Every structure is written in structure tokens, then in C-alpha cells.
Amino acid sequence: MLLAAAVPPHSAQAQSTRLPSSIVTATRPLTEDESRTLGEFLNQNLVKLSGSDQEAMRVARGDLIRALSQSTATPLFRSECCKVILPRLNEIIESKDLMAATNALEVMRAICTSDSVLALCKVAEPGSQRSAALRLVAASGIPSSISKTPMNDAQAAIVVRAMKQAIQSESSWMAATYDFQALFALATGKSIPAGVQKDARKAQVEAIKSLAERVSKGGDDAALVHALWRSLGVILQQQVAVTPAGELSSMGKALSPVLAKVVAMGDAPPKGPGATDSDFREVASLAGNLRTILGRTSGRARGN
């Protein structure tokens, strides 16, 4: 006789659940029954997300992200979800459980509302989040969230200030790289107001100056050369092609002195853990190329 396979006691609790498509695609206020169904779905998964059962936590994270990541998810649906889960996600992130906080941040990245983007920005700021690991998870989700989230002038301006502040004090070069990519998304996003785009470009210049200044001093900040290299690469490989010549010219003039300083690092590399002389030669070469291209752009802008 065949024996039934043993079933882990948590398996029933870890079963995946889904929402009716009529709720995900709703464009009018939810009915009482729909609101109850959505609330039950969200609350059940939030309980699992903050629990100690790792498998249940994994399934809950997947169910929440899957629901929020559907291409048919409407702004109304995202807003209704945000009202319920954002306060709870913040509570989990503030707990001492790194795994639960990481899962909560991954769900937060999928919400894509202005409130959720601002919440991610708060976690990405070293002044409000001591864990470099959590700052990295938060920062890595901000660029894509910006591209998917409608924001007004005031909301987008807050994100610009937050990312500018974060990159100036960030010790993790990986998190700093994502902070700069968020500024790039704000400087080039088609749905971002022109005034905010201009402020984002100014913030990018300040970010490059800050990174270069900190890197030049060597020591523990020397490893930020990796963020500096990637940030300059974003401008050279992506931003130059999509930025109006006049704006690019202004950006080039503002960056010229700091790019010259970075070029000089190739001959006299700062010393510190996590960075080699080769790293500084590479960033110096990239800075030289970018300086040349921006200089040509400035010449064309004057010619016009």
C-alpha cells in the first residue's frame, strides 16, 4: 500500500491566492463586496509577510507583487491597495527582521503610487535608514517606480530633493548608483514636468560633484568610484542622446571643472579599500570622453 506523502504543517497557509480581475481592472469605486474581497486578500498576505514562516512569507510576497504588477492594474486599484498596505509595510520595514523588511520593500516597489515612491525614498536616505542592505533594496526600485508612477510637480520635486540628499551621504556605491539612476529617470521622463526635469539635471551635477569630492579624499569613500563611473556612464551612454542641446550645454558647463578633476585622478589615484588604480584610470578615461562630447555640444549650442 502506498503511503501518502507527508505534508508540511504550513503548506495550507502558504497556498497562493489571486484577486478577481474585475477588482484589478476597476476604474470606478469598488463595491462593498469588492472592497471586502480586496481587504481580505491584502490583510491575509500582510499577516504572512510579517510572520515567521519563511515559505508563507515567500508566497505572500509573490501574491502581492503579482497582483500589483499586472499590466491591467489601474491607478484606482493601486491607490486602494496603497491605502491598506503602505502603513503595514512601513511597520514591517521598521522592525528588526531584515528578511521581512526586505520582502516588504519588494512589495512596496510594485505599488507604483506617488505615496509608495516617496516611502521608498525615505528608506533610501541614510539619515533615516541605517541598514545599507535595506537602502539598496529601496534605491534599486525607485528608478523603475518613477517611470511607472504619475506624479505632480510637488511630488516629483520631493523625489529630486530626496535622491540628491541620499547620494550625498550614501556609503554604499551600489545604492548611490541607483540614486543617480533615479535622478536620470526624473531628468528624462516624458511624464515629468519640464521644471522638475531641469531641477533633476542640476541635482545630477551636484551628485557628480559630491561623489568626485568624496572619492578624491580616498579612504572608505574611495569605493564610491564605482558609483561615479556608472553615473558618468549614464550621462554619456543614455542622457546625451535624449537631452535638448541647450540643456545639455548648460549641464556640460557645470560639469566641466569636476570632470577635469576626475580626469586628473587617473594620474594620481586616491587610495582606499574597494578601489584600485585601474578603477580610477577607467573613470578618468570616461570623464575625459564625456567632457569632450559635452564640450562639442556647448559649441553647437553657441553656434545656434
Side-chain angles (χ1 to χ4, degrees):
M1 182 175 68
L2 295 176
L3 296 176
V7 179
H10 64 254
S11 62
Q13 299 175 345
Q15 289 180 350
S16 179
T17 56
R18 294 178 184 273
L19 281 170
S21 61
S22 59
I23 295 177
V24 178
T25 61
T27 56
R28 40 85 187 134
L30 299 180
T31 66
E32 185 174 334
D33 286 344
E34 289 173 331
S35 294
R36 182 168 52 253
T37 298
L38 177 60
E40 290 174 352
F41 169 82
L42 296 174
N43 286 310
Q44 287 172 5
N45 280 300
L46 286 167
V47 169
K48 297 174 186 176
L49 199 67
S50 59
S52 58
D53 186 326
Q54 293 186 14
E55 176 62 13
M57 188 185 297
R58 182 191 66 79
V59 172
R61 179 196 64 202
D63 285 350
L64 289 168
I65 292 176
R66 188 180 303 109
L68 290 161
S69 300
Q70 294 182 63
S71 60
T72 54
T74 61
L76 185 145
F77 168 71
R78 294 184 184 281
S79 177
E80 291 298 316
C81 289
C82 188
K83 292 175 187 177
V84 176
I85 66 177
L86 192 58
R88 299 276 293 278
L89 293 177
N90 283 326
E91 290 176 2
I92 296 172
I93 292 165
E94 292 171 2
S95 72
K96 302 296 183 181
D97 190 329
L98 182 61
M99 179 177 291
T102 299
N103 284 323
L105 279 169
E106 290 181 356
V107 173
M108 187 181 288
R109 287 161 44 166
I111 300 174
C112 295
T113 65
S114 58
D115 286 341
S116 68
V117 174
L118 295 176
L120 286 171
C121 289
K122 182 178 179 180
V123 180
E125 290 190 45
S128 60
Q129 177 52 250
R130 296 180 60 183
S131 169
L134 294 182
R135 293 199 306 271
L136 175 58
V137 177
S140 65
I142 296 174
S144 60
S145 293
I146 289 171
S147 66
K148 300 174 183 176
T149 305
M151 289 187 286
N152 60 35
D153 292 37
Q155 293 162 341
I158 292 173
V159 179
V160 170
R161 291 195 295 270
M163 292 296 92
K164 177 183 174 181
Q165 181 175 330
I167 202 169
Q168 289 177 342
S169 57
E170 181 55 73
S171 59
S172 163
W173 69 261
M174 289 185 286
T177 298
Y178 283 117
D179 293 340
F180 192 85
Q181 289 177 352
L183 289 174
F184 166 74
L186 289 159
T188 61
K190 294 181 179 179
S191 63
I192 302 298
V196 177
Q197 286 185 332
K198 187 173 183 178
D199 288 342
R201 286 191 289 270
K202 290 180 180 179
Q204 285 181 292
V205 171
E206 292 303 314
I208 294 295
K209 289 179 179 178
S210 175
L211 287 172
E213 179 64 25
R214 295 169 65 192
V215 164
S216 70
K217 296 177 181 178
D220 290 340
D221 280 343
L224 289 169
V225 68
H226 302 294
L228 180 59
W229 182 78
R230 285 163 174 78
S231 298
L232 293 177
V234 166
I235 297 175
L236 179 62
Q237 297 170 10
Q238 301 179 58
Q239 194 159 348
V240 166
V242 297
T243 303
E247 296 295 337
L248 200 59
S249 174
S250 298
M251 197 172 183
K253 292 175 183 177
L255 281 173
S256 184
V258 70
L259 291 177
K261 185 175 184 177
V262 175
V263 169
M265 292 182 194
D267 296 325
K271 305 298 180 182
T276 66
D277 289 356
S278 177
D279 294 327
F280 284 100
R281 286 192 291 270
E282 288 183 10
V283 77
S285 176
L286 180 59
N289 291 338
L290 179 57
R291 191 183 185 198
T292 298
I293 290 173
L294 291 177
R296 291 172 183 167
T297 303
S298 296
R300 288 197 297 270
R302 287 194 299 270
N304 292 335

